[in-house]
């Protein structure tokens, strides 16, 4: 199997048949052997029933039905686990992503990229509730992660299989896949894709997800920069805090010994003690985090590096 198109669905009964016909029509024009992996994320309508009918008539369709609604990240991960293609395309199930952009994404991968992300250049969504928060979030994510993309929220993306195989997703991390994968040293690019107005159903996202995106961004930043050396971040804060507390304490001591200035009822004394203890706590947290990280990597044999290729035969060591 060359290409797997992974589509998570939740209550999309009015869209699923039209979406299948569009995707199939596009894949039939391509030379690569392809499959469609629909993931029903615990839909409460007739989405699953319609998927079962579609699958019964097409051997190139796989349907993964989840027991309840686990969220888009979990549904997408289930699709990855059941996909067999060397190239994986992800897209939404609401007909807003255009399947006719799939050949463009695959063509970019064939140019040597590992990840190709869609950019909804002319996005057909309300400005205040969807477009403006998205623009602000994309700028923040790009700045924090160092992976500059115009549209992290676009589900229409293409990945090489080896990228997906080395990524574990939790929470709502699916939108951060390019940033997470950047830690592997992958090459990525962004292409403008068509974005269509929603025809049926209602959006599953709202302005409330902004807080979750910010919290996930903190996690991604930590994983990218300090996943293998947490003491560097906690220890730095701890050392700075302790030094600041000790400095304030020395100043107060000099004032008391040389100038006779009393220490009673001076908030600075309490601040110095607080900073010293906070510093010790941060350093302790860093040391505990180091133990957790080592357990995480060693118990799962999680690599701390990724190899692109190896040239030449291994040299045998002398007895």
């Amino acid at each position: 199997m060359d290409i797997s198109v992974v589509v998570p669905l939740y209550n999309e009964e009015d869209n699923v048949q039209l979406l299948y016909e569009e995707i199939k029509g596009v894949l039939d024009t391509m030379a690569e052997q392809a499959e469609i992996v629909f993931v029903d994320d615990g839909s409460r309508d007739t989405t699953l029933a319609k998927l079962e009918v579609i699958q019964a008539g097409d051997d190139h369709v796989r349907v993964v039905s989840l027991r309840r609604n686990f969220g888009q990240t979990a549904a997408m991960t289930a699709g990855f686990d059941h996909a067999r293609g060397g190239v994986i395309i992800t897209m939404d199930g609401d007909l807003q992503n255009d399947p006719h952009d799939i050949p463009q994404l695959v063509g970019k991968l064939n140019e040597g990229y590992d990840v190709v992300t869609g950019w909804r250049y002319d996005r057909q969504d309300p400005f205040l509730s969807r477009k403006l928060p998205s623009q602000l979030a994309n700028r923040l994510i790009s700045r924090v992660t160092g992976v500059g993309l115009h549209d992290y929220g676009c589900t229409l993306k293409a990945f090489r299989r080896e990228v997906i195989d080395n990524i574990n997703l939790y929470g709502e991390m699916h939108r951060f896949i390019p940033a997470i994968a950047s830690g592997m040293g992958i090459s990525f690019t962004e292409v403008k894709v068509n974005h269509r107005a929603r025809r049926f159903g209602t959006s599953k996202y709202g302005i409330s997800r902004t807080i979750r995106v910010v919290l996930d961004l903190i996690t991604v930043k930590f994983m990218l920069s300090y996943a293998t050396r947490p003491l560097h971040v906690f220890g730095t804060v701890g050392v700075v805090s302790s030094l600041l507390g000790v400095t304030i304490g020395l100043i107060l001591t000099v004032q008391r010994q040389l100038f006779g200035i009393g220490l009673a009822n001076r908030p600075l004394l309490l601040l110095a003690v607080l900073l010293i203890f906070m510093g010790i706590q941060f350093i302790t947290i860093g040391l505990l985090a180091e133990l957790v990280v080592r357990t995480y990597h060693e118990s799962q044999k999680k690599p701390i590096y990724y190899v692109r290729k190896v040239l030449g035969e291994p040299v045998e060591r002398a007895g």
Side-chain angles (χ1 to χ4, degrees):
M1 191 64 62
D2 299 317
I3 298 174
S4 294
V5 181
V6 175
V7 187
L9 298 162
Y10 178 62
N11 293 343
E12 298 288 358
E13 59 183 358
D14 295 324
N15 294 319
V16 62
Q17 181 65 38
L18 295 173
L19 179 62
Y20 161 71
E21 293 173 357
E22 277 199 74
I23 296 176
K24 178 175 173 56
V26 171
L27 296 180
D28 286 344
T29 65
M30 301 176 66
E32 294 87 354
Q33 187 178 3
E35 66 174 358
I36 309 173
V37 182
F38 289 112
V39 182
D40 177 61
D41 189 20
S43 296
R44 299 176 181 271
D45 57 9
T46 61
T47 297
L48 179 58
K50 293 187 175 183
L51 288 175
E52 291 173 346
V53 173
I54 291 172
Q55 196 283 324
D58 191 341
D59 292 337
H60 292 89
V61 172
R62 310 187 81 191
V63 176
V64 180
S65 176
L66 304 186
R67 290 184 177 272
R68 65 172 177 83
N69 179 242
F70 288 92
Q72 190 171 7
T73 297
M76 202 168 288
T77 301
F80 295 157
D81 292 341
H82 291 82
R84 296 168 292 181
V87 169
I88 297 178
I89 309 291
T90 60
M91 62 185 306
D92 282 327
D94 55 11
L95 290 176
Q96 290 193 269
N97 292 147
D98 191 346
H100 292 87
D101 287 315
I102 292 177
Q104 178 186 196
L105 299 180
V106 175
K108 277 294 181 182
L109 279 184
N110 291 336
E111 292 179 10
Y113 294 102
D114 299 306
V115 177
V116 181
T117 70
W119 173 15
R120 296 167 293 182
Y121 183 74
D122 185 19
R123 185 172 177 178
Q124 303 300 308
D125 282 324
F127 179 76
L128 288 179
S129 62
R130 300 294 299 278
K131 294 174 68 174
L132 180 59
S134 178
Q135 290 173 0
L136 296 176
N138 287 321
R139 291 177 183 175
L140 177 63
I141 295 170
S142 296
R143 185 175 184 85
V144 171
T145 63
V147 180
L149 294 176
H150 292 89
D151 194 355
Y152 271 90
C154 182
T155 306
L156 188 58
K157 296 181 175 72
F159 307 92
R160 294 191 184 277
R161 180 86 227 186
E162 57 266 26
V163 174
I164 293 300
D165 286 343
N166 286 288
I167 291 179
N168 295 319
L169 300 177
Y170 305 95
E172 296 187 10
M173 293 292 187
H174 63 275
R175 63 176 58 85
F176 297 108
I177 293 179
I180 297 172
S182 69
M184 300 163 50
I186 58 98
S187 59
F188 64 92
T189 189
E190 191 174 33
V191 297
K192 294 180 180 179
V193 296
N194 184 33
H195 189 249
R196 303 180 294 195
R198 176 181 269 273
R199 295 171 58 184
F200 306 105
T202 57
S203 173
K204 311 302 186 298
Y205 295 103
I207 193 69
S208 60
R209 69 172 177 168
T210 302
I211 296 177
R212 298 195 297 269
V213 171
V214 172
L215 294 176
D216 286 338
L217 177 59
I218 295 173
T219 302
V220 171
K221 177 59 178 177
F222 181 82
M223 295 298 292
L224 287 176
S225 301
Y226 302 103
T228 58
R229 48 191 181 96
L231 184 59
H232 287 195
V233 60
F234 292 108
T236 300
V237 175
V239 169
V240 171
S241 177
S242 296
L243 288 177
L244 186 58
V246 170
T247 301
I248 294 175
L250 290 175
I251 292 174
L252 293 176
T253 300
V254 171
Q255 290 179 342
R256 178 68 180 88
Q257 296 297 327
L258 299 183
F259 301 100
I261 300 176
L263 298 179
N265 299 322
R266 297 200 64 181
L268 277 179
L269 178 61
L270 296 178
L271 178 61
V273 174
L274 177 63
L275 289 173
I276 292 172
F277 276 98
M278 282 181 57
I280 295 173
Q281 288 180 327
F282 270 105
I283 294 173
T284 303
I285 291 174
L287 291 172
L288 293 175
E290 287 282 342
L291 294 177
V292 172
V293 165
R294 278 156 175 71
T295 301
Y296 169 72
H297 283 279
E298 293 173 10
S299 64
Q300 300 187 44
K301 297 185 179 348
K302 190 76 174 176
I304 60 174
Y305 65 89
Y306 299 90
V307 176
R308 184 185 302 276
K309 64 175 67 174
V310 177
L311 304 178
E313 295 295 329
V315 178
E316 295 186 1
R317 294 182 179 179

